[in-house]
Amino acid sequence: MLKVENVTKYYGDFLAVDNLSFLVKPGEIFGLLGVNGAGKTTTFRMIMGLLDCSEGKITLDNKPIDYSVTDKIGFLTEERSLLTKLTVRQQAIFYGRLKGMNEKDILKRLDELLEKFGVLEYKDKKIKELSKGNQQKIQFILAIINKPKLLILDEPFSGLDPFNVELFKNEITEMSKEGSMIIFSSHRMEHVELFCKKLAIIMKGKTVLSGDLKEIKEQYRKKNIFVKGDLTKKDLLDIDGVIDVVEHADEYEVKIENIDVSQRVFKEVSKHKNIMKFVVEEPSLNEIFIAKVGESYDK
Ligand code: ATP
């Protein structure tokens, strides 16, 4: 298990990470979310032992993370850091050896992964000859070449097209099923929502929300109702407890204060003709994120 306990990081006088704590168990995918400058990369660097914590403690299976466990860890850095003059095969051998693998196993695993990601033909190409997206795939492949027990992914989806986001997500999910602990950062809530069960939202280095995604959504009082039919925006806005009504192409999204208001909305909607849709939904993670980040800006 990865334990981050009361970790604080100062750069000089500047407090970049403020008393952060979380746990990641085998098989869990944990999302560390936050706006630019929130402290995500700093946290990852401390986990990797590339930066010292000013206060607090980080352990993997109750031991400090140091050189002796690098073979169990994979890290995709935010700034892409490939040696661009080397070929993909040469890079893989270089990285794999750093992780304590022998050349035969490295090349076998490399072929499997290149095939899976549809880039087998680039094996003997230099990194600098590849497109940005393909370079990112190679960097991801290298981060997982040793089937790491702990995989840290700093903004893994940035610059990827939707098809490749899907490929990455599938691989990450598969690794978690095999027992890996995975932590990743992202600004893209729709990516997080689909496959991450636990998360923390940080803001100026401080946790503003953390826990199980399902519980976070249930506990968030505001809900949305999607309504389609012969009624006007005003009909909906006039209902007590309705905060806002957003008009989409052919339906309304009614934002309500809490679940009890849905009864009143239903009563009003039932008075109208041709109602084709009435669905109460949890808010999206994006909506919760924006609300939480907004609240902490206001403080
Ligand atoms: P982004 O999403 O933009 O990558 P982040 O959440 O990863 O941001 P960090 O890179 O961890 O954020 O930075 C957290 C804060 O610490 C920022 O205000 C940043 O300016 C500051 N910071 C980062 N590295 C240093 C450094 N080496 N010296 C001084 N301040 C730093």
Side-chain angles (χ1 to χ4, degrees), residues 11 14 16 34-43 45 78 154-155 187 202:
Y11 291 111
F14 179 72
V35 294
N36 293 121
K40 306 178 294 292
T41 301
T42 302
T43 304
R45 291 202 174 126
E78 186 183 28
D154 202 350
E155 291 289 343
H187 312 287
I202 57 171

Side-chain angles (χ1 to χ4, degrees), residues 213-229:
L213 176 61
K214 198 164 161 270
E215 284 168 18
I216 287 174
K217 285 196 162 195
E218 281 166 8
Q219 282 159 13
Y220 191 75
R221 288 172 62 76
K222 294 174 191 164
K223 309 284 170 209
N224 298 325
I225 307 175
F226 290 87
V227 182
K228 197 168 165 179

Side-chain angles (χ1 to χ4, degrees), residues 7-20 37-39 42 54-55 203-206:
V7 165
T8 291
K9 176 70 192 175
Y10 283 94
Y11 291 111
D13 290 340
F14 179 72
L15 179 58
V17 173
D18 186 1
N19 198 22
L20 183 66
T42 302
S54 308
E55 284 160 31
M203 181 75 193
K204 295 181 193 154
K206 231 184 165 72

Side-chain angles (χ1 to χ4, degrees), residues 30 197-201 207 209-216:
F30 181 88
K197 294 196 177 58
K198 266 173 75 179
L199 59 92
I201 296 179
T207 309
L209 187 69
S210 71
D212 183 274
L213 176 61
K214 198 164 161 270
E215 284 168 18
I216 287 174

Side-chain angles (χ1 to χ4, degrees), residues 238-250:
D238 285 347
I239 304 167
D240 191 26
V242 168
I243 307 165
D244 195 12
V245 177
V246 182
E247 270 183 277
H248 294 296
D250 64 347

Side-chain angles (χ1 to χ4, degrees), residues 187-200:
H187 312 287
R188 304 286 301 272
M189 298 304 131
E190 70 275 25
H191 294 156
V192 178
E193 187 146 28
L194 290 177
F195 75 116
C196 144
K197 294 196 177 58
K198 266 173 75 179
L199 59 92

Side-chain angles (χ1 to χ4, degrees), residues 74-202:
F75 186 23
L76 177 75
T77 55
E78 186 183 28
E79 62 291 342
R80 308 301 177 220
S81 55
L82 295 167
L83 304 165
T84 57
K85 288 183 186 157
L86 296 188
T87 65
V88 171
R89 182 205 297 261
Q90 287 166 334
Q91 292 259 314
I93 294 172
F94 178 74
Y95 274 96
R97 284 213 168 122
L98 286 178
K99 301 282 174 193
M101 296 170 75
N102 68 47
E103 195 167 322
K104 187 167 154 262
D105 289 345
I106 297 169
L107 293 175
K108 184 165 172 276
R109 173 96 168 130
L110 179 67
D111 278 356
E112 264 169 42
L113 290 169
L114 289 175
E115 174 110 51
K116 206 170 201 177
F117 284 87
V119 284
L120 192 56
E121 73 266 35
Y122 299 128
K123 189 160 72 174
D124 291 305
K125 283 238 159 46
K126 287 189 176 148
I127 299 293
K128 64 179 177 189
E129 294 166 350
L130 306 185
S131 72
K132 246 171 128 183
N134 283 330
Q135 288 188 14
Q136 192 163 341
K137 278 192 198 174
I138 299 302
Q139 199 165 344
F140 182 68
I141 287 172
L142 297 180
I144 61 170
I145 197 143
N146 57 329
K147 297 195 177 163
K149 205 163 137 184
L150 171 64
L151 177 63
I152 300 175
L153 304 167
D154 202 350
E155 291 289 343
F157 307 117
S158 69
L160 287 183
D161 62 45
F163 177 76
N164 285 307
V165 167
E166 211 48 41
L167 272 180
F168 271 45
K169 276 201 283 204
N170 291 343
E171 186 61 28
I172 293 168
T173 308
E174 216 170 282
M175 287 183 66
S176 82
K177 283 189 185 145
E178 285 169 16
S180 292
M181 296 166 248
I182 296 153
I183 313 181
F184 74 100
S185 69
S186 185
H187 312 287
R188 304 286 301 272
M189 298 304 131
E190 70 275 25
H191 294 156
V192 178
E193 187 146 28
L194 290 177
F195 75 116
C196 144
K197 294 196 177 58
K198 266 173 75 179
L199 59 92
I201 296 179
I202 57 171

